[in-house]
Each structure stands twice: as C-alpha cells, then as structure tokens.
Amino acid sequence: MALTGDLFIASKRVHRDGPGFQAVAASTGAPLEPSFSVATKEDVEAATAAAEAAFPIYSNLPREKRAEFLEAIAEEIDALGETLTERAMQESGLPHARLTGERGRTSGQLRLFAKELRLGEYLRARIDHAIPDRQPAPKPDLRLRMIPVGPVVVFGASNFPLAFSVAGGDTASALAAGCPVIVKGHSAHPGTSELVAGAIERAVARTGMPAGVFSLINGAGNEVGSALVSHPVVKAVGFTGSRGGGTALMKLAASRPVPIPVYAEMSSINPVFLLPAALESRAEALGKAYIGSLTMGAGQFCTNPGLVLALESPALDRFLAAATEAVSGAAAQTMLTPGILKAYEQGVARWAAAPGLNQVAQGQEGSASCGRAALFTMTGADFIADPSHAEEVFGAASLLVRCATIEELLKVVSLLEGQLTATLHLDDADTEVAAQLLPLLERLAGRILANGWPTGVEVTDAQVHGGPFPSTADGRSTSVGTLAIDRFLRPVAYQDLPAALLPADLRDGDAGIPRRIDGKPTL
Ligand SMILES: NC(=O)C1=CN([C@@H]2O[C@H](COP(=O)(O)OP(=O)(O)OC[C@H]3O[C@@H](n4cnc5c(N)ncnc54)[C@H](O)[C@@H]3O)[C@@H](O)[C@H]2O)C=CC1
Ligand SMILES: O=C(O)CCC(=O)C(=O)O
C-alpha cells in the first residue's frame, strides 16, 4: 500500500506543494518516504466546515448506524495487518509484539464503543412525567438525555501511534458520542496515521457516513493545532502529550471568545508504595518486577512507575539491590523521537546534578537513538525540602524515596501533584497503614492498584485513565474505557415537548435502553 503523504479532508485527498515533512526511522534517524503535506489555513477551514456540515446528519443517525461505522473502522484496521504494524515499527521504534497488541487494542476499543452505543446507557435517559394537578403549581413533563457537543479535535500521541492516535480512544469515544473528528496527526508517525486514515475513509464509504465526519491534517509545528483549537466550530479537544503542550492548548481554548474544554492527558509519575509486610516478604521479586514495568516500551508510558516510596528497613535495601541489578542489566531501547530522547537525557542529567539525589544504577549503553534506564534514590527529608524532583522524566528513569517514618511518607504524599495512578504493594499485615493511605490516594489519583504495576491499562467499562491536574486537565473524566464518551456529551432537558418532537429514546413505551422513569430505574 503506497503512501501518498496527502491530507485527508472529508474523504478527499489533498496534496500541498511547498515544504513538507518526512518521518524518520526511530532506530537510525534515516528519513522515510514519502514527504507529507503540511496543512494550510484553507485546509483547516475546509476540514472544520465539513465537520460542521456533517454534525447535524451524523449526530442524528440511529445509534445502530454509528455502531456499524465504528465496527467497519475496526475491520478496516484489522485488515491492514502487518502493513500497519511494520510502518508503525519503523516510525516509532516500538517492538513488533507491542504494536501488534496495540493494533488489536485499537480495533477492540472501537468495537467496545459500538457495544456502548447499542446499550444506550450513556444517554442517561430520564423521564419525569407531568403532574398537572400538583399543588400549589403543576409539575411539568421533563425528559433528559445526553447529546454530542459538536466537532472534536484530537491530537495524535507520539507514544501510542495506534491506540492513542488517529483512530485511538479519543477518536473512538468522540465518534461514538456523535461528534465529527478532525485529527491533528503527530509528526513522528505520519505514515502510520495515513494508513489508519485510509481505513476510516473506507469505513465512511462502506457505511454511508457524511464525508466531514473525519479529517486528518498534519503540520510539523504548532500552527495547525493552534488554528484547530481556536476555530469557532470546534467544541472540544482530546490530547495526550507533554505538560507544556497540553497547558498551552488549555490556555488557548480558555481564551477563545467561546471557551471549550481540552481533555489533556499530560504528565504523571505514578507513585508506588511498598508497605512494610509486603516488602519484608518479597523484596527481591518486587525489585525485579518494578524494573520490568519501568523499562517496558523504553519507559515511554504515562503510567510508568516514576516514583517509589517506602520506609527505611533492611528489606528496602534488598529491594534496592534487586532493582539496581535489574537496571544495570537492562538493554538500552530505541526511543520514539530524537526530541523525546534528548528531553529524557536532559531530565536524567538534571536529576544526576541535583543535591540529595543519588544515581544508584544505569542501564546498558546502546546506539545513538537509545535511552538508558536510570534509577535514583533520595531521602524523604530531602524530598520534602525540594519536591520539584517529582516532575515527570518521560522515559525509563525512576526515583526511590526512602522515608524515615510514616509521618514523613505522608508528608511526601501531601506534596505530590495529581496522578493517573497510585499503587500499593501490601500484605494482610499492611491493611491498617493502607487504610490510612487510601483516602489520600483517592484525592491524588484516578486509579488505585494493589499488588500490580501501573503500566498496561485494561480497556473496560470500569476503567479510569485520568486524574487530577497535571496528570490530566482536570480529572473529572477518563480517556480509556467506555466512560470516555462522557467527555463529548452534554445534557439537554426537554420540557413539555409534544411526543412527535421527542427523540425516540425519550418517548413513552419500551425504548429498549436503561432509563430512569419517575425516579425508578428500568431495565
Ligand atoms: N505523559 C505522557 O503521556 C506523554 C508525555 N509526553 C511528553 O511530551 C514530550 C514531547 O513529546 P510529544 O509527543 O511530541 O508531545 P508534545 O506535547 O510536544 O506534542 C503533542 C502534539 O501537540 C502539538 N502541540 C504541542 N504543543 C502545542 C502548542 N503549544 N500549540 C499547538 N499544538 C501543540 C504537537 O504539534 C503535537 O501534535 C515528551 O518528551 C514527553 O515529555 C509525550 C507523550 C506522552
Ligand atoms: O498504557 C496505557 O494504555 C495508557 C498509557 C498512556 O496513556 C500513555 O502512556 O500515554
């Protein structure tokens, strides 16, 4: 399947002469063919106008039709098979098994949202019948459902070229909600993006969707993304990337004449707590498993365990010895882009130069495109004196904070910023201290795990991949799991509308979906 480098604007391929950009092979830095078009202002206008034109049609399609569209995208992505995996490997440097799994996750997410549409629970349909003879005033008939917000802009993420990119979780949940999507592709994997956009384009044609339901446009700098976020027809933004990028887009969106929400997933260090009895009983196994999680995918997960906290003890020394050995033996791994590698090396160098931080281990040396794992320690007292080292270093670097007392550990927790995850390693004898920590962790993070590692996010109904700022923009939502659809919906109440005007899901009779009628849940 030959790549063209074209933009995809509402099912039309658009080629732009003038300076384009090329992907580079992550492992060698060699440029990859072809050159990709950079979107112009006219392209932004065309994609947004097409999305706006598609919105009333797409958002009013029966839920079944949208479900069939999502399933068609999933089928088309599966059908790309190795062509997709191989291009994604070249562009991202991520290994074959990881990308094969990510391809399956991507089509699986689309199918999960098709199921969600058929279930109809996300509509939160409520009916409160009128009581015309209520005293002292009649009660009106009120009916509520969630409706889609309008066109959504999605920024593809560099670290998940499939599952958080063109047809990733943000796109799947926005399309499921009934919102047309304009993707701003990530310049690190434009070929992968083109292949996936082609799959969506075929699904649009197969299922008869309005053309403007999907566009993919590229731009190597910030201009195209900024123009999209500023555009009046855009009603929400999905983003996964750096804290700087995410907060810049939040500011831009908030300063529009009509502000819009930015669902940005940014930085998280995912604290892991080693409670005393668990540490005592399995220090070595924990040390080894920690580094397995830390070095997975060269540490380029926002769920990476970047901070470990424990009380001083001989068992902690055993844990550290096992972790040190595992880091020292860890092979260097290709990182996603030269920029991400440089930022990682600068972060490690910053930690290495910081007073109070000790580098206890470094991974094996590798080629120029590879990052080396790094393990640091510091005392709880030093951390409390300067908590700035809790800022994310994106890659396989982690900091172990050795606390003298439980009070010191609790103080460290109180200084942490919002997180995607918090993990407890505990045995039965740790229950009391875990119960003390739990309310703090609920305030801190979106997902709390016991006896596991935060990397590897299960895509299910009960998942939360979100958390207080800066892990995400504000923590009231998730970007993984079916609840992600909520980000692109808003409630509308219909008061005393004639039945002929009511949406089918809110009419009397059996609508086949869960509803709350006069205060009672049905189905
Ligand atoms: N915590 C996490 O999940 C992740 C964190 N990162 C962090 O981001 C760094 C750079 O990686 P990237 O993936 O390139 O992230 P990035 O935030 O630099 O870029 C992501 C996307 O946002 C756009 N963008 C960024 N700033 C913008 C602005 N001010 N205006 C308009 N558009 C803007 C970029 O063009 C790109 O399409 C990494 O070194 C790492 O620190 C990256 C990926 C995931
Ligand atoms: O592991 C996952 O599924 C999600 C991780 C993620 O969102 C990220 O690294 O950006």
Side-chain angles (χ1 to χ4, degrees):
M1 201 170 296
L3 296 171
T4 61
D6 292 345
L7 310 168
F8 284 65
I9 300 184
S11 290
K12 284 204 191 77
R13 307 285 183 112
V14 175
H15 177 81
R16 290 288 169 206
D17 294 323
F21 70 100
Q22 280 178 266
V24 295
S27 59
T28 61
L32 295 170
E33 290 300 329
S35 171
F36 286 81
S37 292
V38 168
T40 61
K41 281 199 182 97
E42 291 72 35
D43 297 323
V44 169
E45 281 308 319
T48 48
E52 182 69 355
F55 180 60
I57 305 162
Y58 182 66
S59 60
N60 283 306
L61 288 174
R63 286 179 284 114
E64 178 59 29
K65 290 278 167 219
R66 293 212 300 270
E68 285 166 12
F69 173 45
L70 295 181
E71 285 168 343
I73 301 175
E75 277 166 29
E76 295 289 345
I77 288 174
D78 286 345
L80 286 169
E82 283 296 296
T83 307
L84 182 60
T85 316
E86 275 165 21
R87 179 73 190 198
M89 278 172 70
Q90 280 184 314
E91 291 183 331
S92 69
L94 293 168
H96 186 262
R98 148 75 194 269
L99 288 166
T100 305
E102 200 182 320
R103 195 182 68 218
R105 171 174 168 177
T106 307
S107 53
Q109 287 176 165
L110 288 154
R111 292 191 173 99
L112 184 67
F113 278 106
K115 254 182 151 163
E116 185 69 8
L117 280 173
R118 292 190 176 107
L119 200 59
E121 192 190 47
Y122 77 95
L123 291 162
R124 300 211 215 150
R126 285 146 188 240
I127 300 177
D128 290 329
H129 286 106
I131 309 179
D133 55 359
R134 189 184 68 173
Q135 292 303 328
K139 180 181 176 193
D141 182 280
L142 274 166
R143 299 175 188 229
L144 176 152
R145 68 164 178 166
M146 303 299 281
I147 64 159
V149 291
V152 169
V153 166
V154 170
F155 284 78
S158 56
N159 62 335
F160 276 76
L162 300 171
F164 282 78
S165 195
V166 175
D170 287 344
T171 299
S173 51
L175 289 177
C179 301
V181 169
I182 303 165
V183 175
K184 191 295 185 172
H186 199 288
S187 50
H189 56 256
T192 307
S193 297
E194 179 177 325
L195 290 168
V196 175
I200 301 178
E201 188 184 46
R202 287 188 290 281
V204 167
R206 264 175 60 187
T207 56
M209 292 294 131
V213 72
F214 172 78
S215 294
L216 165 69
I217 60 183
N218 290 316
N222 293 339
E223 223 169 292
V224 166
S226 301
L228 285 170
V229 173
S230 308
H231 200 285
V233 313
V234 172
K235 295 294 181 277
V237 177
F239 170 94
T240 301
S242 66
R243 184 169 178 167
T247 50
L249 295 177
M250 286 164 66
K251 276 194 196 127
L252 190 60
S255 64
R256 294 167 34 129
V258 180
I260 55 169
V262 176
Y263 297 100
E265 184 198 319
M266 297 169 287
S267 71
S268 185
I269 53 167
N270 307 297
V272 175
F273 298 84
L274 308 171
L275 301 189
L279 194 55
E280 181 57 42
S281 70
R282 50 197 139 92
E284 289 78 8
L286 285 171
K288 210 165 155 213
Y290 161 43
I291 303 310
S293 175
L294 177 70
T295 55
M296 188 190 289
Q300 300 165 119
F301 287 93
C302 54
T303 47
N304 194 31
L307 185 73
V308 175
L309 294 124
L311 296 178
E312 282 292 6
S313 69
L316 183 57
D317 293 333
R318 281 164 37 220
F319 169 86
L320 185 57
T324 301
E325 189 185 332
V327 166
S328 307
Q333 295 178 70
T334 303
M335 293 196 72
L336 293 158
T337 68
I340 287 176
L341 172 62
K342 190 167 163 216
Y344 173 67
E345 287 176 339
Q346 284 170 346
V348 170
R350 197 172 63 241
W351 274 5
L357 267 84
N358 304 308
Q359 181 158 10
V360 291
Q362 188 171 29
Q364 301 276 307
E365 228 172 311
S367 71
S369 62
C370 287
R372 301 169 73 178
L375 181 59
F376 290 80
T377 63
M378 84 190 294
T379 64
D382 282 338
F383 185 96
I384 291 163
D386 182 3
S388 70
H389 304 300
E391 209 168 282
E392 181 186 52
V393 174
F394 188 70
S398 189
L399 174 60
L400 168 66
V401 178
R402 309 174 63 120
C403 299
T405 61
I406 187 72
E407 290 70 30
E408 192 174 279
L409 186 142
L410 295 174
K411 176 73 185 163
V412 170
V413 176
S414 74
L415 296 170
L416 297 179
E417 297 186 297
Q419 304 290 333
L420 292 170
T421 72
T423 301
L424 293 166
H425 282 281
L426 74 166
D427 279 354
D428 286 349
D430 295 313
T431 303
E432 202 178 312
V433 56
Q436 202 180 348
L437 275 168
L438 198 55
L440 304 181
L441 303 189
E442 284 169 346
R443 289 187 66 177
L444 188 67
R447 178 165 58 110
I448 300 164
L449 309 74
N451 295 329
W453 296 94
T455 41
V457 176
E458 194 69 34
V459 185
T460 68
D461 287 330
Q463 184 57 277
V464 173
H465 188 60
F469 183 86
S471 67
T472 69
D474 82 358
R476 278 174 292 176
S477 61
T478 175
S479 63
V480 177
T482 46
L483 208 59
I485 196 172
D486 272 10
R487 298 173 300 166
F488 306 117
L489 297 169
R490 67 180 180 85
V492 173
Y494 304 87
Q495 184 168 333
D496 290 330
L497 247 67
L501 288 180
L502 280 172
D505 289 325
L506 293 182
R507 291 197 190 135
D508 288 337
D510 183 10
I513 59 167
R515 302 193 292 186
R516 189 186 297 184
I517 301 181
D518 296 327
K520 294 196 189 72
T522 63
L523 280 190

